[in-house]
Amino acid sequence: MTLLEFTGCTLTAFGPALSMFIVTIMNDPVRVIILIASSFFWLLSLLFSSIVWFVFPSKQQVWFGVIVSVLVQELFRYFLYLLLRKAERGLKRFVVHSLVSNNKHMLSYVSGLGFGVMSGLFALINILAEVGGPGTMGLRGGYSAFCIVSSIFTAFIILLHVFWGILFFHGLNTDNKNFILYVVISHLVVSEITLLNQYYFNTLALCIVFVITLGSGYYAFKTAGGHLPIIDRLKNQITTTAAEN
Amino acid sequence: MISVRLVSFVCLHFATFTLLNCLSVKDQIYANIIADNPCFLRLNGTNQFGCTSSRFGNVGTLHLVINSTDLNWLFNEGKADPYTVALTPKMFNREVLQSIELSAKVNGIMLLMNGTEQEVINNDNLQNTGFSPEDTCPNRYSDVNSCPMKPWNPYGTDILLKSWSFPIFVVYDQNTIKDIIDCFKNHNLPLNNQNDQSLCALELKSHMYAAVDSKTCLRRTMMSYQNIRPIKFCDPLGDKNVYWSLKELRPNTPDKSVAIVAARLDATSMFQDLAPGAMSTATSIVTLMTTANLISEMLSYNDADNFSRNIMFILFNGEAYDYIGSSRVVYDMLDGNFPNDLIKLNQSHIGLFVELSQIHYDKEVFVYRPIKNNASENVINFMNIFNKSLSDDGFSVSESKSTSIPPSSLHSFLKIDPKFPGIILTGFRDQFKNKFYHSILDDAENIQYGNNSTIAQTIANISTSLSNSLYTFITNSTYTGLKQANSSYVTKLLDCYVKSMNCEVFQSLTSPLHLPDNPPNYYISIDLITNTITSLSRLLFASFGSKVINEV
């Protein structure tokens, strides 16, 4: 029974990321390298925020630690951007036929996924390690849905990192501060909301994070130049009706 | 998502600061149980008996069994198998365990000692039903006579000698018992709903590497010594016999000139580290020790040297397991090696063999003799003096009519010499009075040892009579002195042998060493280890009858 739970939770959390990896990244070695590099940058940010946490005197204030950690992560996303900018020219010359440079959002998508997968792994690995054993949540406090809720959160966070990556890099490319501000603020909000979980407000937290994911996703989709036929058609209808009026 | 990681980090280390439910994930899933006493596995020449868990522990849904209705529900309707059964001593008997074994739905048993020992005994009516895991005829395959119609240990359930396919643990810790019961009530009730919820389960881990039989297991161990990292699959049982003689033993001992006073030093039980053996063995040891002390005072070293006869006190070890202590002595005697190859004592030198077995607090003593008629002069003299002396103290002394003799070290000697001049002094007639023979309940309360207890006085009286008789054996004259066993000294010894090894007498022998604060564990244990109680008994013997040397 716990094996089923383990498998279910793992695939819930990492299923979307795994599919994205297989469909869009696996075939291009340069993308894999960038994925690993961005994961490494996330690890660096973890190291840095851990040092801050270690030095920081009042450890009861978790919310403050979360703020520091989010800011550090965004800082390292910026460093990653700088690095990729520098490397991009060299990459272009090195691999002529690579797909990296075909789409300027491809870099940000891959690096965002790298960030997301690594943070998702760190968030969930403790829980997954315990879920595999003979026991499951709920002996002393905790609710039986804890693992699946955590997995869904993780899946959201991975997707969010992808979207944030696209938005953040786009903001830097176009010198648009609004994008960057949106990414930092929504990241802060999402991370602080997870603190609600310890008070059993998980449904509320899950709903809020879901809405933010959906919004960010649409935003990133638009930014990357995506078109949804249904939305276009709806928009056309609205504009035509508006024109008719 | 780093926040969640931090939360768990904080909770792990600063649980005291945070207000709400803030345990690590692991602590929300598992809780440790304080139960350090598993049933363990033993082997003999042909079989294995005892219990073992699988290598990584047995996990089963917790089920509380108070009565047979609970058990029937589990067998017929329980669907969340495998189960782990928590039961009370009342249900811990052969029929229940056997039906559990047959059902194949249970993979672990937890024995709950809920309440103080007296409460457990009263609640489960153990005073009437008895609670002894031992065979009805202990050591039946190494006795000289077969098991009588009325078996020695009528309360014996035989579960100690069966091989169980599941681990068994005993729990004493009251908070743990409460946790277990609460866990069952909170998570596993209602019973008809067990498929729809997470259930409370127990994981019991007591894996034993031993298997099949002694021969196989020792062979496997020997073979593994060729590996870089050898594994010990099992160890042979073993410890040391302890003996002390009134004066030094010399070569060329005259025939029939040595009296042996013997008792056994070991007991056993189902569970590791829990063999209190108070009535099974401790009362006899204390009687023997008191006697040894008294006789060494009656007959000082110089006085004793004037007589050719000698007394030897022996504590045989491992008698619960087919008399391995006494049979070793017999083997050495036949080999001319007892106690060493200079002195060469053998059975013909022994004029009298008195064994103390299960001395009871009631003021009655029963005597068993293998040879009813034509007993040797020594035995008859001994019996006469002993009877008279004890009867004067208000005891009833009677000789058992039974043709067979109870389980005792004497069997080892009777095997080589059917005319061996042995007698057994016990507190029971034909069947054990001890309801908890070789069980975890055979402790201080079983011999009613406490304030104003009769056991100390009883032992003192028996020791005095025994010493008087032994005095006559040596000197051939009646003891006219005033020395008597002191019941306060007996109490001190009982403290050591029943209550706590960290007691006055033992401390005076080992003074700078720290002694464990728990009652002795009388299980013989493995050959490599000399039990604490064995060493302490040896030291105690050594302190008797010492000659004071003024100048060194």
Side-chain angles (χ1 to χ4, degrees):
Chain A
M1 199 61 193
T2 48
L3 186 68
L4 291 180
E5 192 181 11
F6 173 81
T7 320
C9 287
T10 316
L11 289 180
T12 307
F14 299 106
L18 189 68
S19 325
M20 285 151 85
F21 176 78
I22 291 172
V23 173
T24 59
I25 295 175
M26 204 169 69
N27 293 325
D28 186 347
V30 176
R31 288 182 196 176
V32 175
I33 290 171
I34 292 171
L35 185 86
I36 304 291
S38 62
S39 306
F40 178 69
F41 263 73
W42 190 87
L43 285 179
L44 286 181
S45 80
L46 176 69
L47 177 68
F48 194 75
S49 38
S50 303
I51 292 170
V52 173
W53 175 258
F54 192 71
V55 176
F56 188 59
S58 162
K59 292 192 168 67
Q60 294 99 298
Q61 311 297 329
V62 183
W63 59 270
F64 187 77
V66 171
I67 290 177
V68 171
S69 160
V70 168
L71 293 178
V72 169
Q73 281 180 63
E74 293 306 331
L75 190 70
F76 273 83
R77 206 197 292 279
Y78 177 62
F79 291 158
L80 177 66
Y81 173 78
L82 292 181
L83 184 83
L84 287 178
R85 264 291 90 99
K86 283 210 160 162
E88 201 181 11
R89 234 172 288 150
L91 278 176
K92 265 182 192 165
R93 202 182 308 155
F94 185 58
V95 276
V96 187
H97 56 276
S98 171
L99 301 169
V100 177
S101 48
N102 289 0
N103 185 345
K104 60 178 174 172
H105 294 292
M106 189 46 94
L107 261 182
S108 40
Y109 160 73
V110 174
S111 60
L113 189 65
F115 252 61
V117 166
M118 196 42 82
S119 78
L121 271 178
F122 264 80
L124 205 62
I125 206 90
N126 280 342
I127 297 168
L128 286 182
E130 295 303 336
V131 165
T136 184
M137 205 67 177
L139 180 66
R140 281 190 294 182
Y143 42 97
S144 53
F146 173 83
C147 300
I148 191 68
V149 168
S150 304
S151 309
I152 295 172
F153 259 115
T154 310
F156 282 157
I157 295 284
I158 295 174
L159 292 175
L160 273 170
H161 267 290
V162 173
F163 305 149
W164 287 332
I166 293 169
L167 294 175
F168 195 86
F169 283 19
H170 184 70
L172 287 172
N173 279 335
T174 57
D175 269 341
N176 191 340
K177 292 218 170 58
N178 287 342
F179 282 103
I180 297 166
L181 216 60
Y182 171 76
V183 168
V184 174
I185 287 172
S186 62
H187 195 170
L188 276 175
V189 169
V190 167
S191 300
E192 293 290 353
I193 278 171
T194 57
L195 290 182
L196 287 177
N197 277 345
Q198 57 179 318
Y199 306 103
Y200 297 104
F201 289 136
N202 39 63
T203 325
L204 178 69
L206 211 56
C207 288
I208 297 172
V209 174
F210 178 64
V211 170
I212 292 176
T213 314
L214 218 58
S216 307
Y218 180 67
Y219 202 14
F221 186 69
K222 286 282 287 178
T223 311
H227 293 286
L228 274 182
I230 304 171
I231 292 176
D232 287 345
R233 215 175 298 146
L234 275 175
K235 267 193 178 169
N236 283 339
Q237 274 177 11
I238 291 164
T239 45
T240 47
T241 48
E244 278 168 10
N245 290 343
Chain B
M1 200 57 191
I2 189 163
S3 56
V4 171
R5 190 194 68 83
L6 289 179
V7 171
S8 61
F9 178 71
V10 169
C11 295
L12 211 63
H13 296 278
F14 304 98
T16 45
F17 297 116
T18 37
L19 292 171
L20 279 164
N21 160 48
C22 221
L23 294 160
S24 74
V25 175
K26 186 172 185 176
D27 289 340
Q28 289 184 26
I29 298 180
Y30 303 103
N32 281 333
I33 295 171
I34 303 172
D36 299 327
N37 309 99
C39 154
F40 51 95
L41 198 72
R42 288 165 301 266
L43 305 168
N44 65 12
T46 52
N47 288 83
Q48 66 176 46
F49 47 111
C51 6
T52 172
S53 77
S54 73
R55 183 142 183 203
F56 301 104
N58 287 12
V59 182
T61 311
L62 175 60
H63 193 70
L64 197 62
V65 170
I66 308 286
N67 48 39
S68 51
T69 326
D70 297 333
L71 208 60
N72 286 334
W73 179 88
L74 190 146
F75 294 154
N76 299 326
E77 293 171 54
K79 289 197 177 65
D81 56 325
Y83 281 92
T84 294
V85 170
L87 38 72
T88 53
K90 184 175 66 174
M91 299 295 286
F92 194 72
N93 56 45
R94 190 174 169 177
E95 288 74 35
V96 172
L97 290 189
Q98 208 115 49
S99 60
I100 284 174
E101 173 98 40
L102 284 174
S103 77
K105 267 184 162 179
V106 176
N107 71 355
I109 286 185
M110 209 60 158
L111 177 59
L112 306 181
M113 302 303 252
N114 197 356
T116 62
E117 190 175 312
Q118 209 52 50
E119 283 167 13
V120 170
I121 292 172
N122 291 340
N123 288 344
D124 286 357
N125 197 19
L126 297 179
Q127 208 53 259
N128 293 324
T129 59
F131 185 72
S132 169
E134 183 56 272
D135 194 355
T136 47
C137 269
N139 285 343
R140 67 168 73 215
Y141 300 111
S142 25
D143 286 359
V144 284
N145 34 32
S146 55
C147 189
M149 288 292 283
K150 279 165 76 184
W152 298 113
N153 184 19
Y155 307 100
T157 53
D158 214 9
I159 49 182
L160 184 66
L161 303 172
K162 294 266 174 232
S163 175
W164 304 105
S165 57
F166 37 74
I168 305 176
F169 277 73
V170 61
V171 197
Y172 277 96
D173 187 73
Q174 295 304 309
N175 292 329
T176 306
I177 293 174
K178 200 175 156 296
D179 285 348
I180 290 175
I181 293 174
D182 286 350
C183 192
F184 172 74
K185 288 186 174 157
N186 294 337
H187 295 92
N188 295 7
L189 292 178
L191 290 174
N192 52 17
N193 211 11
Q194 284 201 330
N195 280 348
D196 304 339
Q197 55 191 8
S198 308
L199 301 174
C200 182
L202 291 181
E203 181 182 87
L204 308 182
K205 191 176 167 194
S206 62
H207 181 63
M208 309 279 156
Y209 286 100
V212 192
D213 56 33
S214 316
K215 211 174 127 191
T216 314
C217 192
L218 288 173
R219 189 189 67 224
R220 285 177 182 171
T221 305
M222 290 309 290
M223 279 169 71
S224 88
Y225 283 153
Q226 298 165 359
N227 298 347
I228 297 168
R229 286 173 58 197
I231 308 164
K232 269 215 158 161
F233 292 97
C234 50
D235 279 291
L237 291 178
D239 199 353
K240 293 178 171 61
N241 295 324
V242 185
Y243 75 89
W244 176 80
S245 59
L246 185 62
K247 50 184 192 176
E248 68 253 53
L249 298 160
R250 294 200 182 89
N252 305 321
T253 320
D255 266 9
K256 307 273 175 209
S257 70
V258 178
I260 286 182
V261 182
R264 48 188 278 225
L265 186 53
D266 74 310
T268 187
S269 84
M270 279 285 274
F271 301 100
Q272 190 177 317
D273 300 333
L274 285 177
M279 200 188 287
S280 304
T281 175
T283 51
S284 312
I285 299 174
V286 170
T287 314
L288 182 134
M289 286 295 182
T290 316
T291 311
N293 187 28
L294 183 60
I295 194 84
S296 71
E297 285 175 6
M298 283 175 170
L299 268 170
S300 70
Y301 181 82
N302 293 331
D303 293 343
D305 226 15
N306 299 331
F307 302 100
S308 64
R309 291 184 156 186
N310 201 351
I311 307 174
M312 204 170 176
F313 292 86
I314 307 185
L315 292 173
F316 292 115
N317 218 329
E319 299 297 279
Y321 294 101
D322 292 323
Y323 312 123
I324 52 182
S326 52
S327 57
R328 170 63 192 262
V329 168
V330 169
Y331 177 85
D332 281 348
M333 280 180 170
L334 294 176
D335 245 15
N337 237 344
F338 180 78
N340 54 45
D341 56 357
L342 287 176
I343 294 163
K344 291 185 181 170
L345 274 188
N346 64 37
Q347 72 276 11
S348 62
H349 298 131
I350 297 166
L352 178 66
F353 180 96
V354 182
E355 177 159 356
L356 305 166
S357 170
Q358 299 191 51
I359 301 296
H360 200 266
Y361 47 80
D362 287 345
K363 281 181 176 281
E364 49 185 5
V365 171
F366 295 94
V367 183
Y368 290 83
R369 266 198 298 175
I371 315 155
K372 297 277 185 285
N373 307 316
N374 301 328
S376 71
E377 192 194 346
N378 284 329
V379 173
I380 291 166
N381 279 344
F382 174 88
M383 293 270 291
N384 287 339
I385 299 165
F386 185 75
N387 278 7
K388 185 174 179 305
S389 174
L390 255 192
S391 304
D392 288 349
D393 288 330
F395 275 72
S396 90
V397 184
S398 47
E399 190 171 340
S400 166
K401 303 278 185 296
S402 170
T403 49
S404 46
I405 55 166
S408 59
S409 312
L410 183 56
H411 285 280
S412 300
F413 293 90
L414 288 174
K415 273 181 204 162
I416 53 163
D417 180 9
K419 290 200 154 42
F420 192 73
I423 54 176
I424 306 170
L425 307 179
T426 67
F428 61 87
R429 179 205 288 272
D430 298 338
Q431 289 192 310
F432 292 173
K433 268 190 201 163
N434 186 359
K435 297 196 162 64
F436 308 133
Y437 185 73
H438 280 179
S439 88
I440 48 175
L441 292 176
D442 189 9
D443 59 7
E445 285 179 42
N446 191 31
I447 57 170
Q448 299 192 352
Y449 177 59
N451 298 329
N452 308 321
S453 56
T454 54
I455 180 80
Q457 192 52 49
T458 311
I459 288 178
N461 288 343
I462 295 174
S463 297
T464 309
S465 305
L466 192 53
S467 304
N468 285 339
S469 326
L470 291 169
Y471 183 88
T472 310
F473 174 84
I474 289 199
T475 62
N476 237 335
S477 60
T478 319
Y479 180 65
T480 49
L482 293 172
K483 290 226 163 67
Q484 280 197 327
N486 189 342
S487 71
S488 68
Y489 180 71
V490 176
T491 309
K492 279 185 199 169
L493 282 184
L494 279 172
D495 265 341
C496 298
Y497 280 94
V498 172
K499 284 237 158 112
S500 161
M501 283 190 279
N502 192 11
C503 60
E504 196 187 323
V505 175
F506 285 167
Q507 269 171 356
S508 68
L509 299 171
T510 62
S511 77
L513 279 176
H514 178 73
L515 291 163
D517 228 352
N518 46 324
N521 172 23
Y522 285 102
Y523 176 63
I524 176 167
S525 181
I526 60 170
D527 196 21
L528 294 173
I529 300 169
T530 301
N531 283 348
T532 324
I533 196 67
T534 310
S535 310
L536 289 170
S537 301
R538 185 182 66 83
L539 286 175
L540 184 58
F541 268 138
S543 72
F544 293 156
S546 330
K547 196 163 57 164
V548 178
I549 299 171
N550 290 323
E551 287 172 42
V552 179

